[in-house]
Amino acid sequence: MNFTRRTFGRLAIGLAAASCLISAPALAQDRPAPFDKPADVKIALVRYLSTGDFFQAYLSGVEAQAKALGVDLRVFDSRQDAALQADMVDQAIALGVQGIIIQHGLTESMKEAAQRAVDAGIKVVAFDVNVENEKIPQIEQSDRDLARLALEQAVKDNGEAWKAGYVYVAGIAPLDRRDETWKEFKAKYPGIEEKAMFGTLDNPIANSVANQARSVLTANPDIQVMFAPYDEFAKGVKIAVDEAGLSSDIKIYSADVSTSDIAAMREPGSAWAATAATNPAVVGQVSVRALAQLLAGEDPGKSVIVPPTLITQKDLNDNDIKNMEELSAKMPQFAHADVAMPAWMPNPNAK
């Protein structure tokens, strides 16, 4: 099986390497080495999760910041194959990249792969995966704050006592951090009763979660709140709630946001009450900027945190927000994070 994955990975290397070649801008003389000659800088993004609007937006942010810097970006997508993702780190090392962004994944499969990159003299940052390495900065959305903002709104809307369904998959770093906050809230508010916990990352995630949620709702007709701290989870729950005709009886609280999420939250009578989110494109930009700082000999910090924003159904309706562009324009705190932004760093959002 390992041989098969490795063989596939090597066959795919050409496609992955060609998936995103970014050309350098003409002027870079005011930047520190190696970005005074950005065309000579090669970095890689090695992905575990890519399904859903969040991950597409994250990729667009990575691409935008790489383009602003003028570096050569290679994108590797393992499509939730943990062994292949580890192999892809080795492929990136073999390509001679100077820096690697590891995006999601499992600690047990990525810890050694990340160490191999460090041992090869490559700078590495990790987004939403704990590779247990002091030399590797962690890019985070402040997942505990994401969960806290959503749950505080749930308490504000529903009081301190309600019956809940909870969507969770263990072993994914951001979900584990959000789970810590969920446990803290249940301890703080003993009137919150978890009736069912379920979840899956099987593709397509929303449809797979919807299948589970149908059974959960049938077995637990008294559920009043669904806490689904990942928007693909929330989409799945909403499908099941809508099909059961329970949109007026259940409220959904989530994390992350996209244009399709906004549309779903704004549907008449939608059960999706609120989400807490960072702009995934901004998180992608920050991931590249933190890596660039490492390459320039600067320290972005052990933990690089992008602050989240609470987005309620009422906010969207009152401001007539229909998409991510309007969300950024009408909620400026969502549009940009002044994180990992030294004076020399080009801003891809600058007009």
Side-chain angles (χ1 to χ4, degrees):
M1 183 63 70
N2 287 338
F3 175 80
T4 301
R5 288 193 179 101
R6 290 181 184 275
T7 301
F8 170 77
R10 294 188 181 103
L11 290 173
I13 192 170
L15 290 174
S19 63
C20 189
L21 180 61
I22 307 296
S23 59
L27 300 176
Q29 64 268 25
D30 295 329
R31 301 175 195 164
F35 298 103
D36 52 344
K37 298 179 180 179
D40 295 336
V41 178
K42 188 184 300 181
I43 66 173
L45 169 65
V46 182
R47 315 178 81 195
Y48 179 71
L49 290 168
S50 58
T51 299
D53 295 336
F54 179 94
F55 299 105
Q56 290 305 309
Y58 176 85
L59 176 60
S60 74
V62 169
E63 292 172 336
Q65 188 65 65
K67 182 177 181 180
L69 280 165
V71 301
D72 177 348
L73 169 68
R74 311 295 177 101
V75 179
F76 298 84
D77 189 353
S78 71
R79 299 186 182 276
Q80 294 164 242
D81 184 326
L84 179 57
Q85 187 187 24
D87 283 344
M88 285 178 165
V89 171
D90 293 327
Q91 293 168 24
I93 294 170
L95 277 176
V97 302
Q98 290 102 315
I100 297 174
I101 301 166
I102 298 174
Q103 181 233 295
H104 292 86
L106 306 180
T107 298
E108 57 266 28
S109 58
M110 294 312 296
K111 180 179 177 179
E112 292 183 2
Q115 184 61 55
R116 289 195 294 274
V118 171
D119 291 343
I122 296 169
K123 301 299 183 183
V124 181
V125 300
F127 169 50
D128 272 355
V129 54
N130 181 10
V131 293
E132 298 180 353
N133 194 311
E134 292 293 324
K135 295 183 179 180
I136 298 178
Q138 295 283 313
I139 315 298
E140 298 181 21
Q141 301 181 79
S142 187
D143 291 286
R144 295 174 183 86
D145 284 341
L146 283 169
R148 177 184 57 79
L149 288 171
L151 289 169
E152 285 176 348
Q153 188 64 36
V155 170
K156 180 178 179 181
D157 292 345
N158 303 280
E160 298 181 3
W162 27 270
K163 301 184 189 304
Y166 175 44
V167 191
Y168 173 55
V169 175
I172 302 296
L175 298 180
D176 290 342
R177 290 191 288 265
R178 296 170 196 185
D179 181 61
E180 292 173 10
T181 301
W182 171 239
K183 290 174 180 174
E184 291 170 2
F185 260 74
K186 288 190 295 179
K188 182 178 180 180
Y189 299 105
I192 297 175
E193 180 184 355
E194 182 183 299
K195 297 288 291 185
M197 181 174 71
F198 60 101
T200 178
L201 288 172
D202 291 345
N203 284 321
I205 296 172
N207 291 340
S208 298
V209 169
N211 291 336
Q212 294 180 332
R214 292 183 186 100
S215 299
V216 168
L217 291 172
T218 299
N220 301 277
D222 54 347
I223 284 178
Q224 301 160 289
V225 168
M226 281 284 196
F227 181 44
Y230 166 35
D231 60 344
E232 292 298 309
F233 290 169
K235 288 177 184 177
V237 169
K238 185 178 181 298
I239 291 169
V241 168
D242 288 349
E243 289 177 353
L246 297 172
S247 297
S248 60
D249 301 313
I250 294 174
K251 290 186 176 179
I252 302 167
Y253 298 84
S254 71
D256 307 324
V257 72
S258 68
T259 293
S260 62
D261 297 344
I262 292 169
M265 291 176 71
R266 292 197 62 187
E267 288 176 5
S270 175
W272 198 338
T275 192
T278 55
N279 186 331
V282 171
V283 179
Q285 293 170 14
V286 169
S287 299
V288 175
R289 294 202 295 263
L291 181 62
Q293 283 192 276
L294 286 180
L295 289 169
E298 300 176 0
D299 181 10
K302 181 179 177 181
S303 182
V304 183
I305 297 177
V306 183
T309 300
L310 177 70
I311 303 159
T312 66
Q313 187 183 84
K314 186 176 187 299
D315 291 331
L316 298 175
N317 287 329
D318 288 353
N319 292 285
D320 193 27
I321 295 170
K322 298 182 289 294
N323 53 49
M324 294 288 280
E325 290 73 21
E326 292 179 0
L327 182 63
S328 294
K330 296 180 181 182
M331 298 183 74
Q333 68 272 33
F334 186 75
H336 173 72
D338 192 20
V339 176
M341 198 75 189
W344 60 267
M345 187 73 66
N347 183 352
N349 307 310
K351 302 298 182 183

